[in-house]
Amino acid sequence: MTSPNRRLFLLGAAAAAITPVAAMSASGTFEITRTKAQWRAMLTEAEFLIMREDATEKAFISPLHDNAKPGRYLCRGCELPLYSSRTKFDSGTGWPSFASPLKNAIGTRPDNTLFIKRTEVHCRRCGSHMGHIFDDGPWPTYKRHCLNGTALIFAPA
C-alpha cells in the first residue's frame, strides 16, 4: 500500500511532468515584446529554449563562467545591462554567478518547479529568463544570482 505522502509526491510528479514548459515561461507586460516567431528568428535554438522556455544550460559550458574581465553583462534579448563584473564571483556551481544586479535591471517571480522553492530571475525589459536566485551567496547580499551564460552578452569596460 502506498503511503499518503508518497501518493501526493507521485501525483505532484505526474502533474509536473505533463505541465507544458511554455506555461512556465515569463509572462506579463514588458517594454519589449516579440512574437514567438520573432524570438525564434533572432535566437539560436539553445538561446530560445533558455530565454523563452526557461530551460537551463549545462554547467561549465558557458565561456562567461570563467570570464574575469571588467565590464557589464547584458541581456541577450534586448541588451539591457543587468550585472556588473564587480559583483561576479566563482560559486563553484558551473554557472556565472553574481551577488547583486544593476539597479532596475531584473524582475523576479516564484518558481516552484522541480519540487523546490526558488526565485526565478528575468530581464525586467523583455522578460527573458536568466536563471535563479539563491540565499547562499557572499557578503553583503548573501544572494547568488545563478545565471545561464547563454542568456547574456558580455560588454568589456
Side-chain angles (χ1 to χ4, degrees):
M1 183 166 183
T2 307
S3 73
N5 287 341
R6 184 172 177 192
R7 194 172 313 123
L8 287 174
F9 174 79
L10 293 173
L11 286 171
I18 62 172
T19 302
V21 174
M24 293 184 245
S25 50
S27 62
T29 304
F30 298 102
E31 292 171 41
I32 295 177
T33 58
R34 295 183 176 98
T35 65
K36 194 176 225 183
Q38 289 171 321
W39 281 112
R40 283 196 177 278
M42 71 175 279
L43 301 172
T44 67
E45 183 64 15
E47 292 166 352
F48 180 83
L49 289 173
I50 289 165
M51 296 168 57
R52 307 313 303 169
E53 302 289 334
D54 301 348
T56 301
E57 68 191 10
K58 292 180 181 176
F60 299 103
I61 68 159
S62 172
L64 297 179
H65 174 263
D66 294 323
N67 183 34
K69 297 174 185 166
R72 295 189 301 178
Y73 293 82
L74 317 178
C75 171
R76 183 171 297 281
C78 69
E79 298 188 9
L80 178 70
L82 302 175
Y83 294 88
S84 167
S85 61
R86 283 179 263 150
T87 67
K88 189 172 188 285
F89 67 98
D90 184 0
S91 66
T93 61
W95 290 276
S97 296
F98 301 82
S100 61
L102 294 170
K103 187 175 181 177
N104 198 28
I106 65 164
T108 62
R109 69 181 177 137
D111 177 356
N112 297 315
T113 59
L114 303 179
F115 309 107
I116 57 173
K117 279 189 165 185
R118 301 182 295 175
T119 300
E120 185 255 352
V121 60
H122 57 266
C123 172
R124 69 115 180 117
R125 186 160 66 182
C126 73
S128 291
H129 171 76
M130 296 291 136
H132 291 88
I133 302 172
F134 300 95
D135 293 326
D136 60 0
W139 181 90
T141 65
Y142 301 105
K143 300 291 183 189
R144 172 174 51 99
H145 292 237
C146 187
L147 307 182
N148 293 291
T150 302
L152 300 170
I153 299 169
F154 178 69

